[in-house]
Amino acid sequence: MLADVIAQRGLAHGELAETLNDRIGELTGRRGLVSDRTIRRYLSGQTTWPQSVQRAALEAEFGKPAAELGFVPPAGHQKKPGDPRPAGAEYDQEADPVLRRTLFTATTAAALAAATPAVARPTIGTADVDRLRRHVDRLVAMDDQDGGGPAIERLAVQLTAHALDVQQSSSATQRVRGRLYGLAAEFAAHALWAAVDAGQLDRAQQHLEKAVTLAGLSGDGQVQHQTWRYAAMLADQRGHRTDAIAAAEAAAATAAHRTDPAYASLSAMRLALALTMPGAHDRTRALRAIDRATTAYDRADPHRVRPPSMAFYDRGEVSGLTGIALLRMGQPEQAEFHMHRALSSLRPDQARNRSYYTAQIALAQADQGEADQAVATAHRITPPPGSATTGRVHRLIGQFTDTLTRTAPGARATREWIAHTRTATA
């Protein structure tokens, strides 16, 4: 029965409708007009015998004649003795000759496929993809707590391989396959980000190439946006400002940017950061990008459901990224103000971001020549400076030490800080 096969595949009504529309397009050259309401009419019994083109699409999709899916043909369409066609394969009067031949071929092939013994590949549906997607939440939680590193990177690589293996070894609708590619791209993007955050930039580049390919195959604008903004961050860490600008612009070309102001805000902010990298400094364009990011975020629906990879991007993060851009533009006082706002908005579980923005605030204070305050702030970084040897926070601490030495070389706080870091790393 139709309800049973839908349940086995874990298909939502709207998803099945879109799949049938694709099937109709393959059969007739013109995409169908099936809706979720159509599916509900099938299941409720209001439609006892679908139109011929819809029957053909159903039979081609599920490999069963319409009668075996629970539909009942009208009296005039009943199978007659000696008729080689499957029950209900008679043509509708309105169908043209070409469509009649197409539908007859499709329904006959479906009936033969159903009658022929074969070793069926396992079918994966929406429910299976949703179960696999739960691992994204796990990766995000690990990253929030500890930041990127080998553990997250390894897990993300394993999950990417698993998603691709499921793709190759299972039967699925076109829509489910797209979701699997998108999920594999998300996992690859998490591996990329973990490597970037840990300072393993060559490995991150390898993950980027896979993530870009898979995101393209998925057709998912949200995953494509995630991949390109991570690409912009990788280019930023490598000092490749032209690539960073291009990646930010690629994120702005995705469907997610066009349809959701939250994504548009993040695209604009990534562009602002790329434009303030050493050697770029297009101040006017960067300030315009910051303004666009702030305005777009004000328009974003806070209740809209978005992937876990966007959970970090709230008003506090807008302030934090604005502060980083302003610090790069030589405005440490304004930068410190914005980054304090970011720090105060963080959730308790965002330990990595707390360390990151604390280090940024210390850097802004050192840039203002406030050695005592800057060192006091730096001591609040968790884990303590010297306890980690890789990662963005570690690199910020090195930048902070250089700035402190430049702006307050003779200060007592500077001497004590340098002695502290030497002891911590000994």
Side-chain angles (χ1 to χ4, degrees):
M1 304 295 278
L2 183 62
D4 295 331
V5 294
I6 290 176
Q8 288 170 5
R9 292 200 184 180
L11 293 170
H13 293 174
E15 185 176 9
L16 176 57
E18 292 302 307
T19 300
L20 293 178
N21 287 331
D22 291 340
R23 288 283 190 180
I24 291 170
E26 294 169 1
L27 292 169
T28 69
R30 186 168 58 186
R31 202 166 182 274
L33 298 175
V34 179
S35 67
D36 55 352
R37 183 184 178 192
T38 309
I39 305 304
R40 289 197 298 272
R41 289 175 66 89
Y42 292 164
L43 295 172
S44 68
Q46 289 179 274
T47 299
T48 59
W49 192 243
Q51 298 172 0
S52 56
V53 69
Q54 294 177 11
R55 289 201 313 274
L58 283 161
E59 292 171 341
E61 176 63 25
F62 294 113
K64 296 176 180 292
E68 290 188 21
L69 293 172
F71 296 108
V72 180
H77 286 68
Q78 298 290 348
K79 186 177 185 296
K80 299 177 177 62
D83 190 339
R85 292 171 294 183
E90 291 78 10
Y91 311 124
D92 289 347
Q93 294 298 318
E94 71 273 14
D96 61 44
V98 174
L99 180 57
R100 291 175 187 173
R101 288 195 296 272
T102 302
L103 296 180
F104 178 74
T105 300
T107 53
T108 302
L112 288 173
T116 302
V119 178
R121 300 170 75 197
T123 299
I124 186 168
T126 302
D128 300 299
V129 177
D130 288 342
R131 280 191 291 272
L132 189 55
R133 179 171 291 282
R134 292 172 192 164
H135 290 288
V136 174
D137 296 330
R138 179 183 174 192
L139 290 170
V140 170
M142 291 171 66
D143 179 64
D144 282 343
Q145 184 61 42
D146 301 320
I152 294 180
E153 185 182 356
R154 282 195 301 269
L155 177 58
V157 168
Q158 291 168 2
L159 289 168
T160 304
H162 178 62
L164 291 175
D165 181 63
V166 169
Q167 176 80 267
Q168 296 299 321
S169 61
S170 305
S171 296
T173 65
Q174 182 178 0
R175 188 170 295 272
V176 168
R177 289 204 180 281
R179 291 189 64 189
L180 275 173
Y181 276 125
L183 191 54
E186 279 195 76
F187 290 143
H190 277 284
L192 156 65
W193 169 244
V196 168
D197 204 29
Q200 301 299 318
L201 304 186
D202 289 339
R203 287 211 307 270
Q205 187 68 40
Q206 296 172 5
H207 297 315
L208 170 62
E209 293 165 4
K210 175 168 282 190
V212 167
T213 300
L214 294 171
L217 290 171
S218 76
D220 187 324
Q222 292 179 329
V223 175
Q224 291 165 356
H225 190 280
Q226 177 186 1
T227 301
W228 284 121
R229 70 178 187 261
Y230 285 177
M233 297 177 77
L234 171 58
D236 188 307
Q237 293 294 306
R238 303 196 84 150
H240 298 171
R241 59 185 176 86
T242 302
D243 290 346
I245 293 170
E249 291 173 339
T254 62
H257 174 100
R258 295 191 299 272
T259 58
D260 187 342
Y263 282 90
S265 174
L266 186 49
S267 304
M269 195 60 77
R270 288 308 326 168
L271 179 61
L273 291 167
L275 290 168
T276 55
M277 289 175 60
H281 284 301
D282 190 338
R283 180 188 180 89
T284 301
R285 190 181 172 195
L287 289 173
R288 285 201 300 265
I290 291 172
D291 184 61
R292 287 200 306 275
T294 305
T295 302
Y297 191 84
D298 288 340
R299 297 198 315 269
D301 180 359
H303 304 296
R304 185 168 179 170
V305 177
R306 298 182 179 91
S309 61
M310 281 292 285
F312 80 102
Y313 195 65
D314 54 15
R315 194 170 296 280
E317 187 69 11
V318 174
S319 294
L321 296 179
T322 297
I324 293 172
L326 290 173
L327 184 58
R328 290 178 173 186
M329 286 189 283
Q331 300 179 38
E333 186 174 351
Q334 296 93 322
E336 182 183 354
F337 167 77
H338 285 283
M339 288 187 288
H340 273 296
R341 292 179 64 180
L343 196 61
S344 66
S345 73
L346 292 175
R347 303 187 307 270
D349 62 306
Q350 292 180 295
R352 188 275 314 279
N353 280 8
R354 189 168 302 281
S355 294
Y356 182 71
Y357 280 118
T358 300
Q360 290 282 6
I361 290 170
L363 182 59
Q365 291 167 341
D367 214 20
Q368 295 172 69
E370 300 175 357
D372 290 343
Q373 182 62 54
V375 169
T377 300
H379 277 300
R380 293 201 299 270
I381 297 171
T382 306
S387 63
T389 56
T390 62
R392 291 185 305 156
V393 173
H394 174 77
R395 294 192 294 277
L396 275 175
I397 291 170
Q399 187 178 351
F400 165 75
T401 302
D402 292 342
T403 301
L404 194 64
T405 303
R406 173 176 55 81
T407 58
R412 178 179 177 181
T414 301
R415 295 194 301 273
E416 290 178 349
W417 173 258
I418 292 174
H420 169 76
T421 55
R422 285 174 178 168
T423 301
T425 56

